[in-house]
């Protein structure tokens, strides 16, 4: 009789704790998700296309680049591209887009335009730069648009 009373008491205690959400269930005590930063993740779409400006350029290649919380995306070197962008505070206009010294390119006008659209540390980014030709684009010492 004593064992039966103890088993009933234990069963009742478990039933009450299950109803009240007390016990070993992790879901009842899960802390709400907290953002890692005040800023949303950085997420960019980078494009390259032949043409004199982004409005008339037909996109030839496009990649994604996310730098927060970790470097990812379809960019071939996301960690290096993110590091380069961090070094200029996400200011695409401060990337070195001039040809490296010692590099010889023809003065042929066959424009190629690169663009960046998206979010960098919580602010909207819209960037476009036109190179005279692919040689000048390839000669620029920036990795961000190397894809």
């Amino acid at each position: 009789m004593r064992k039966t009373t103890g088993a009933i008491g234990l069963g009742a205690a478990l039933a009450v704790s299950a109803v009240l959400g007390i016990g070993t269930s992790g879901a009842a005590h899960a802390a709400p998700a907290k953002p890692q930063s005040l800023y949303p993740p950085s997420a960019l779409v980078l494009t390259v296309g032949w043409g004199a400006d982004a409005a008339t350029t037909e996109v030839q290649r496009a990649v994604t680049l996310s730098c927060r919380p970790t470097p990812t995306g379809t960019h071939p070197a996301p960690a290096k591209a993110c590091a380069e962008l961090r070094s200029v505070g996400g200011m695409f206009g401060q990337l070195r887009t001039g040809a490296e010294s010692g590099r010889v390119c023809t003065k042929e006008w066959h424009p190629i335009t690169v663009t960046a659209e998206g979010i960098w540390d919580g602010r909207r980014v819209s960037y476009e730069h036109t190179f005279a030709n692919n040689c000048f684009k390839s000669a620029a010492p920036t990795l961000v648009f190397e894809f």
Side-chain angles (χ1 to χ4, degrees):
M1 178 82 173
R2 212 175 226 193
K3 290 183 182 179
T4 306
T5 305
I8 291 173
L10 179 61
L14 288 174
V16 169
S17 68
V19 169
L20 295 177
I22 304 170
T24 60
S25 172
H29 300 290
K34 293 182 183 178
Q36 298 285 337
S37 168
L38 295 175
Y39 301 108
S42 294
L44 302 163
V45 175
L46 309 173
T47 67
V48 174
W50 296 105
D53 60 50
T56 60
T57 297
E58 188 174 316
V59 175
Q60 302 296 311
R61 292 181 306 279
V63 297
T64 59
L65 179 64
S66 299
C67 295
R68 291 183 96 167
T70 58
T72 61
T74 58
H75 193 284
K80 289 180 181 179
C82 288
E84 189 174 335
L85 283 171
R86 273 190 220 99
S87 74
V88 295
M91 305 297 290
F92 282 84
Q94 293 182 3
L95 290 173
R96 295 180 11 203
T97 54
E100 293 176 310
S101 62
R103 179 79 185 248
V104 178
C105 291
T106 64
K107 299 207 184 237
E108 158 192 27
W109 179 249
H110 188 56
I112 187 166
T113 300
V114 296
T115 65
E117 297 283 335
I119 304 293
W120 178 268
D121 282 344
R123 67 184 157 81
R124 179 131 174 74
V125 173
S126 182
Y127 172 79
E128 146 181 3
H129 181 79
T130 302
F131 294 93
N133 57 48
N134 196 46
C135 180
F136 282 99
K137 180 194 161 299
S138 297
T142 179
L143 294 171
V144 175
F145 293 104
E146 287 298 313
F147 52 88

